[in-house]
Amino acid sequence: MEKWSTVNLENFNGPIDLLLHLIKEKELNILEVDLLVLSNQYIDYIQSLEVLNIEVASEYLVMAAYLLELKSKILIPKEVIEFDENYEEREREELINRLIEYHKIKEVTNFFKEKQDEYLKSFSKKKSIIKVTKIDDDKLPLAKNTINIDNFSKIFLNAIERNKFKNLETNTLTTTEVSPEELAKDIIEYFTDNKIKNIDLEELINLKEYSLKMLVATFLAILDLAAKKIITIEQLEEKIIIEVLM
Amino acid sequence: MENKKKISLIEGLLFINGDEGVSLEEVSIFLDISIDESEELIVLIQNKYKKDLECGLELQRFAKNKFRMITKKENSEYYIKLANLKTESRLSSASIEVLSIIAYKGPVTKADVENIRGVNCDNIFYKLKLRNLISEVGKSNDVGKPTLYNVTTEFLKYFNLNSLEELPKLKESNISDKEIFNRG
């Protein structure tokens, strides 16, 4: 067993591949394969290998364990396993079905390999980037950029700073799921409930006891609302004003 | 517009788009002509290239209605000698196995593929997604809603296929067909 510390099975694409190889090598008909013999062959093969790459090998070891389980169940005298006399048949059928499925795929891989070789003989170029003269900002299909994004983020950063101190007093952890979508709804509701059309961003984020998570979600919610043209974000000197468009 | 002009515009478009290829729809929108006319003109260019032995290019048709400008395959050995050629590693046989399973059985989940191969396929799926040969196409209704995968147009291009119908037929999984494993 110690030998399994290093096994190189790179010639095979997995335990099923190895099983298939063993069956073919002995020129056996898969449907008539004796699982006892196959299990022994498989395990002998793995044990005979000197170099084992454990990551690759783990898959093979799982198969070996499975085959051993199968083998031990088959070897138990029949009367003992009365409770499940179809076990061998079912397991056998399942394994054989897997082998057949795998074999079908294995048979067509050459088609793909040949096609690949053909493809690798053709060369083409990357799609060209068409360089045009600079488009004026006001011709870009974007909302008017009237805010200073530094200012916008500064308001959030300030809020985070303030919250840091609050957190120091907290000794219980509560996790609440916040989604930007829900917050976006919240924000719009706030506008309609209070019958206002605009609000100072700083005021808005101070409305609730915000956690860091909340702030990030609020930030995303506001950007999302702006992207969907439900609100506009505008800057008046140092203040950022959010206005509903409806 | 004269046909000559149209052909020259299409040829330029094929060059610009390069690797990505040009679809018949694109040509038809680009020149405001019918799909049929687009196809006629593009096939004309394709034949012209094929016949012209002084020309180093040809057009590959893939995914039914897409065309890509490539160098002639028979010249490849010369280009391969170029030291500065960027090389793309060919797919490993394990990757090809995974791709074949997805091509035949797609949309499938990673677990379906792993079940057939008996090996964990995380890494291969990751690489195939990176190369855009497979893509996520939805969620299965099975427990945990695993992601379903299918092969992409890039896959069709890579294996020079017009559609998955061109794949060789898989042998019937008839368990009574005892011959299938005796052929070598």
Side-chain angles (χ1 to χ4, degrees):
Chain A
M1 291 278 175
E2 291 97 40
K3 281 186 181 168
W4 288 6
S5 57
T6 41
V7 174
N8 186 351
L9 294 165
E10 272 169 22
N11 291 332
F12 297 102
N13 286 327
I16 305 261
D17 199 13
L18 174 56
L19 274 179
L20 203 59
H21 169 80
L22 292 172
I23 294 169
K24 282 187 164 183
E25 197 180 47
K26 302 272 161 180
E27 293 184 355
L28 292 171
N29 183 329
I30 191 176
L31 295 162
E32 285 156 12
V33 142
D34 183 337
L35 289 188
L36 274 180
V37 177
L38 188 62
S39 310
N40 289 337
Q41 252 177 261
Y42 182 86
I43 288 158
D44 286 349
Y45 187 88
I46 298 192
Q47 276 184 320
S48 73
L49 291 162
E50 302 255 325
V51 208
L52 174 78
N53 170 342
I54 195 67
E55 264 179 46
V56 179
S58 60
E59 314 277 1
Y60 292 87
L61 298 185
V62 170
M63 177 57 82
Y66 169 75
L67 288 170
L68 280 175
E69 187 201 355
L70 215 60
K71 182 179 162 184
S72 60
K73 293 260 168 77
I74 294 166
L75 289 176
I76 295 172
K78 282 281 179 267
E79 58 270 24
V80 183
I81 52 159
E82 266 173 359
F83 61 94
D84 192 5
E85 53 191 14
N86 292 325
Y87 178 87
E88 185 189 339
E89 203 38 56
R90 272 193 286 106
E91 288 297 302
R92 183 194 160 80
E93 203 165 290
E94 201 209 304
L95 182 63
I96 285 173
N97 274 330
R98 284 180 71 185
L99 280 163
I100 290 177
E101 280 294 293
Y102 184 75
H103 179 260
K104 284 195 300 187
I105 289 298
K106 199 74 188 161
E107 264 205 326
V108 290
T109 50
N110 262 344
F111 169 82
F112 290 97
K113 279 178 188 159
E114 281 162 23
K115 287 284 197 178
Q116 167 173 253
D117 286 345
E118 208 179 289
Y119 172 82
L120 293 175
K121 283 184 188 159
S122 68
F123 304 100
S124 68
K125 54 175 270 298
K126 284 260 169 289
K127 185 174 183 169
S128 305
I129 297 165
I130 298 186
K131 301 177 187 80
V132 283
T133 45
K134 192 179 174 291
I135 299 172
D136 288 340
D137 282 350
D138 54 357
K139 282 189 186 151
L140 282 172
L142 292 171
K144 252 192 197 165
N145 180 18
T146 54
I147 63 158
N148 178 337
I149 197 73
D150 287 340
N151 241 314
F152 184 62
S153 56
K154 210 157 75 190
I155 290 171
F156 281 92
L157 286 174
N158 284 339
I160 292 169
E161 280 296 314
R162 275 199 305 277
N163 274 275
K164 267 189 190 161
F165 296 107
K166 279 188 206 160
N167 283 348
L168 285 177
E169 297 158 19
T170 319
N171 52 13
T172 45
L173 278 175
T174 49
T175 50
T176 41
E177 286 294 319
V178 278
S179 75
E181 288 81 17
E182 273 168 43
L183 274 173
K185 247 190 250 165
D186 260 22
I187 293 168
I188 295 302
E189 262 169 34
Y190 182 81
F191 280 119
T192 41
D193 289 353
N194 292 283
K195 297 196 173 74
I196 53 164
K197 283 229 125 193
N198 58 55
I199 187 168
D200 180 355
L201 175 64
E202 215 161 346
E203 206 179 305
L204 179 77
I205 59 175
N206 281 333
L207 283 170
K208 286 187 181 175
E209 285 285 298
Y210 283 107
S211 66
L212 190 55
K213 226 162 140 191
M214 243 349 208
L215 272 171
V216 174
T218 315
F219 185 68
L220 292 175
I222 290 174
L223 289 179
D224 194 43
L225 285 170
K228 287 185 180 141
K229 301 208 159 108
I230 296 169
I231 59 167
T232 57
I233 309 170
E234 234 173 312
Q235 181 160 17
L236 285 176
E237 284 155 22
E238 284 298 286
K239 280 184 195 292
I240 304 271
I241 305 295
I242 290 169
E243 188 171 355
V244 225
L245 288 172
M246 290 167 298
Chain B
M1 196 190 292
E2 269 189 81
N3 257 12
K4 277 182 184 172
K5 181 74 178 166
K6 287 180 194 163
I7 288 174
S8 116
L9 283 170
I10 296 172
E11 190 170 7
L13 185 63
L14 284 159
F15 172 78
I16 289 172
N17 271 22
D19 203 26
E20 220 166 84
V22 175
S23 71
L24 293 178
E25 284 80 9
E26 279 172 298
V27 175
S28 102
I29 294 165
F30 176 61
L31 290 178
D32 195 18
I33 55 177
S34 71
I35 298 268
D36 285 348
E37 193 186 346
S38 308
E39 185 168 7
E40 254 167 55
L41 295 172
I42 246 184
V43 169
L44 216 75
I45 301 173
Q46 190 180 29
N47 290 334
K48 186 180 77 175
Y49 280 171
K50 210 184 279 174
K51 272 186 247 155
D52 188 350
L53 298 179
E54 290 175 1
C55 172
L57 303 169
E58 64 179 7
L59 295 188
Q60 177 202 357
R61 186 176 196 152
F62 66 99
K64 255 181 196 144
N65 64 0
K66 291 196 90 177
F67 292 84
R68 182 171 78 107
M69 188 184 268
I70 55 175
T71 57
K72 283 198 169 125
K73 291 191 187 98
E74 62 262 33
N75 294 344
S76 67
E77 53 178 307
Y78 295 90
Y79 304 132
I80 290 168
K81 288 184 199 151
L82 292 174
N84 64 347
L85 200 72
K86 281 187 188 167
T87 51
E88 189 179 67
S89 60
R90 74 185 53 217
L91 297 165
S92 65
S93 55
S95 296
I96 286 193
E97 261 179 44
V98 170
L99 269 180
S100 341
I101 295 170
I102 302 174
Y104 281 97
K105 317 230 168 219
V108 289
T109 64
K110 186 146 58 61
D112 294 334
V113 177
E114 286 173 343
N115 197 32
I116 293 176
R117 298 192 63 234
V119 200
N120 174 289
C121 301
D122 284 340
N123 208 9
I124 295 175
F125 266 70
Y126 174 74
K127 284 184 190 157
L128 292 177
K129 266 195 280 181
L130 268 190
R131 289 177 77 155
N132 201 18
L133 292 167
I134 60 170
S135 66
E136 300 180 4
V137 289
K139 298 273 177 205
S140 149
N141 282 329
D142 294 349
V143 181
K145 305 244 172 242
T147 308
L148 289 166
Y149 294 89
N150 239 340
V151 290
T152 60
T153 311
E154 191 67 22
F155 167 89
L156 294 178
K157 183 167 90 188
Y158 195 88
F159 294 103
N160 197 23
L161 296 166
N162 283 314
S163 76
L164 294 179
E165 284 155 31
E166 288 182 7
L167 293 177
K169 288 269 170 297
L170 285 183
K171 296 275 176 305
E172 268 311 297
S173 66
N174 193 351
I175 197 134
S176 66
D177 178 7
K178 300 198 173 187
E179 286 309 298
I180 63 165
F181 281 88
N182 279 340
R183 282 187 288 103

